[in-house]
Amino acid sequence: MIRGVLLDLAGVIYEGETALPGALKAVDRLRHAGLSLRFVTNTTRMTKSMVLQRLSRLGLDVTDSELFTPAQAVREWLARNDCSPSLLVHPNLVQEFEDVPIRTHRAVVVGDAGEAFFYASLNRAFRELIGGAQLIALAKNRSFKDADGLLSLDAGAFVAALEFATQRKALVFGKPAPEFFEAALTSMDCPPKHAVIVGDDAEADVAGALRAGLGSAVLVRTGKYRPGDEERFDPPPTVTVESLSAAADWIVAHSPTSLSC
Amino acid sequence: MIRGVLLDLAGVIYEGETALPGALKAVDRLRHAGLSLRFVTNTTRMTKSMVLQRLSRLGLDVTDSELFTPAQAVREWLARNDCSPSLLVHPNLVQEFEDVPIRTHRAVVVGDAGEAFFYASLNRAFRELIGGAQLIALAKNRSFKDADGLLSLDAGAFVAALEFATQRKALVFGKPAPEFFEAALTSMDCPPKHAVIVGDDAEADVAGALRAGLGSAVLVRTGKYRPGDEERFDPPPTVTVESLSAAADWIVAHSPTSLSC
């Protein structure tokens, strides 16, 4: 029985500044079925408050505590590990780390920096890493669906570049890191087996969540989905559907009527 | 018995425009001992003729047929496979491919592009690759010793980025590709077991050559060498010495006197 729902954002609820057809009504339907919802995004081109503002502009009221971003998880890790960040991130995301004090250790924090990825910025990061800094990946997605409708390189490619050059593995924070899913589930007091995720990324969202112990995972054929994705990663999705609207139908059919998680 | 010698260039014979101490005399000593020499470089920031000119300026006469570069190997592969290149290389290297005609298939050719690595150029390459182009790496070195004396990111990091994003492996052409060593050895009619390599890269030069069947490999503590490199890769070097001068002493001691390969 499904009691808690994790929803990916880009490619599931919106694309750019536009809500996907039927997505907002689907979120409403899930809420009215008494299910607990959390929103889990690997977006690292916006601060958490920018994401909340975008959702609000679309007409979706989401509170700060319902939204989980990799930057938030990394901030907490940096504090616990007495680390200052050296940022290789999108200019929008810099303010998310502005108030972090100078600490004993150093970590190179890599997000989807977009145009801020260039030889000198990557080489500066490489030199910090061979000097002893920890490599931290806000996310390690391979690609995302860009504004022109085509796939573009995501942070994962650049994390892989630095891993290869330094022969060290990054600590990865967004999906598919099990801790990321667990934090969202814990916040709604939902055991993993009673939770489902809806995502357009068969690897980070779907296979990642199932590996983290979630009971089920719905792959939607929107966003970055490409034909064959449902068979490309292990474990495969529990079910593959056209859109969040169809995913909501499936989830409601598998949930106890009007029972809160 | 050693009869043929492969010599790496940057970090072994020169650094930038300067010959390393004793290196030119060491090359002379090897030639006068009757050994066959070939020069094998993974440099992809210069055309073959630029490399020959640099050697000539240093006072080293090397012929076109004694020097092996990855660009040359890739040109031959492109012709055999009816492929046109889409270049992600250093501006200096573009002319090496200028006369390649338009052919049926496409290949993305990646070298050490330096400042020509930036988000848009890498993303363009990524999109060509998911469109079906073959990924070709002129070399896959992790780092090189830069003009400021520190290590900098080499082509390998960017090849790894594209491999990760596309989930496909590159065809690698420079060292440690076995075909690269074999082409040099064949040109001097030297069986691998009678050949030695001298390099400053414990992975691409030393472990690569030994895996390709060379009888021995000498690691020099010049160029990009860092303490511990002799134990970092498998197989380890046959011997590790201070410089090309000491390498020449070791090689001459292990070669038949005045016997040509």
Side-chain angles (χ1 to χ4, degrees), chain A residues 15 18 24 33 40 52 59 64 66 84 88 97 99 102 107 109 122-123 125 138 149 168 180 186 207 218 232 238 256:
Chain A
E15 262 178 18
T18 312
L24 302 182
V40 286
L52 289 171
D64 187 84
E66 288 177 318
S84 306
L88 184 52
F97 294 92
D99 59 343
I102 292 173
V109 175
L122 286 158
N123 202 39
L138 283 157
R168 293 215 308 266
F180 193 68
T186 301
V218 182
R232 207 160 277 149
T238 314

Side-chain angles (χ1 to χ4, degrees), chain A residues 119 123 127 148 153 164, chain B residues 119 123 127 142 148 153 164:
Chain A
Y119 186 78
N123 202 39
R127 287 180 169 191
D148 61 4
L153 286 174
F164 179 81
Chain B
Y119 186 79
N123 202 41
R127 289 180 168 189
R142 298 176 201 271
D148 62 5
L153 286 174
F164 179 80

Side-chain angles (χ1 to χ4, degrees), chain A residues 88-148:
Chain A
L88 184 52
V89 301
H90 194 278
N92 280 345
L93 204 68
V94 172
Q95 57 179 283
E96 200 82 284
F97 294 92
E98 261 170 2
D99 59 343
V100 176
I102 292 173
R103 300 191 183 118
T104 312
H105 307 294
R106 299 281 292 173
V108 171
V109 175
V110 185
D112 172 17
E115 305 291 332
F117 283 128
F118 49 89
Y119 186 78
S121 67
L122 286 158
N123 202 39
R124 200 159 44 234
F126 168 67
R127 287 180 169 191
E128 280 216 58
L129 293 169
I130 57 175
Q134 168 68 49
L135 177 56
I136 288 198
L138 283 157
K140 206 182 165 186
N141 295 60
R142 298 176 201 271
S143 61
F144 67 98
K145 189 172 175 183
D146 212 336
D148 61 4

Side-chain angles (χ1 to χ4, degrees), chain A:
Chain A
M1 274 300 157
I2 292 171
R3 302 181 172 212
V5 182
L6 302 185
L7 296 175
D8 180 32
L9 294 180
V12 173
I13 291 182
Y14 58 68
E15 262 178 18
E17 286 284 350
T18 312
L20 284 164
L24 302 182
K25 281 190 178 161
V27 174
D28 267 355
R29 210 149 70 247
L30 292 168
R31 281 205 202 274
H32 284 119
L35 293 156
S36 293
L37 303 191
R38 290 295 184 270
F39 300 84
V40 286
T41 179
N42 270 14
T43 298
T44 58
R45 286 198 181 189
M46 292 188 282
T47 61
K48 192 171 178 183
S49 73
M50 286 175 191
V51 176
L52 289 171
Q53 283 160 26
R54 174 174 292 188
L55 290 169
S56 171
R57 280 195 301 275
L58 296 176
L60 203 58
D61 281 327
V62 173
T63 65
D64 187 84
S65 58
E66 288 177 318
L67 174 62
F68 288 78
T69 67
Q72 169 187 2
V74 167
R75 279 182 59 103
E76 290 162 9
W77 186 92
L78 291 170
R80 282 199 308 277
N81 291 275
D82 196 20
C83 245
S84 306
S86 174
L87 300 174
L88 184 52
V89 301
H90 194 278
N92 280 345
L93 204 68
V94 172
Q95 57 179 283
E96 200 82 284
F97 294 92
E98 261 170 2
D99 59 343
V100 176
I102 292 173
R103 300 191 183 118
T104 312
H105 307 294
R106 299 281 292 173
V108 171
V109 175
V110 185
D112 172 17
E115 305 291 332
F117 283 128
F118 49 89
Y119 186 78
S121 67
L122 286 158
N123 202 39
R124 200 159 44 234
F126 168 67
R127 287 180 169 191
E128 280 216 58
L129 293 169
I130 57 175
Q134 168 68 49
L135 177 56
I136 288 198
L138 283 157
K140 206 182 165 186
N141 295 60
R142 298 176 201 271
S143 61
F144 67 98
K145 189 172 175 183
D146 212 336
D148 61 4
L150 301 176
L151 294 185
S152 281
L153 286 174
D154 208 332
F158 301 91
V159 172
L162 293 169
E163 288 183 325
F164 179 81
T166 60
Q167 295 180 265
R168 293 215 308 266
K169 299 304 273 181
L171 285 176
V172 181
F173 280 79
K175 301 169 284 183
E179 299 79 6
F180 193 68
F181 297 111
E182 285 157 17
L185 296 181
T186 301
S187 77
M188 53 182 180
D189 201 19
C190 181
K193 66 177 177 176
H194 292 304
V196 64
I197 188 166
V198 183
D200 65 332
D201 187 321
E203 184 177 26
D205 294 334
V206 169
L210 292 172
R211 268 191 227 125
L214 269 76
S216 49
V218 182
L219 179 66
V220 287
R221 293 196 184 92
T222 51
K224 80 172 75 166
Y225 171 85
R226 287 196 302 160
D229 275 356
E230 54 270 64
E231 288 157 9
R232 207 160 277 149
F233 302 96
D234 188 53
T238 314
V239 62
T240 305
V241 299
E242 284 313 301
S243 64
L244 179 55
S245 189
D249 294 341
W250 187 90
I251 291 167
V252 170
H254 289 77
S255 66
T257 318
S258 64
L259 225 178
S260 175
C261 178

Side-chain angles (χ1 to χ4, degrees), chain B residues 123-220:
Chain B
N123 202 41
R124 200 159 44 234
F126 168 67
R127 289 180 168 189
E128 281 216 56
L129 294 169
I130 57 176
Q134 168 69 48
L135 177 56
I136 288 198
L138 283 156
K140 206 182 164 185
N141 295 59
R142 298 176 201 271
S143 62
F144 67 98
K145 189 172 175 184
D146 212 336
D148 62 5
L150 301 176
L151 293 185
S152 282
L153 286 174
D154 208 332
F158 301 91
V159 172
L162 293 169
E163 288 182 326
F164 179 80
T166 60
Q167 295 180 266
R168 294 214 309 264
K169 298 305 273 181
L171 285 176
V172 181
F173 279 78
K175 301 169 282 182
E179 298 80 5
F180 193 67
F181 297 111
E182 284 157 17
L185 296 180
T186 302
S187 78
M188 53 180 178
D189 201 19
C190 182
K193 66 177 176 179
H194 292 304
V196 64
I197 188 165
V198 184
D200 65 332
D201 187 321
E203 184 176 26
D205 295 333
V206 169
L210 292 172
R211 267 191 227 127
L214 269 75
S216 48
V218 182
L219 179 66
V220 288

Side-chain angles (χ1 to χ4, degrees), chain B residues 103-126:
Chain B
R103 301 192 180 116
T104 312
H105 307 293
R106 298 282 290 173
V108 171
V109 175
V110 185
D112 172 17
E115 305 292 333
F117 284 128
F118 48 89
Y119 186 79
S121 66
L122 286 158
N123 202 41
R124 200 159 44 234
F126 168 67

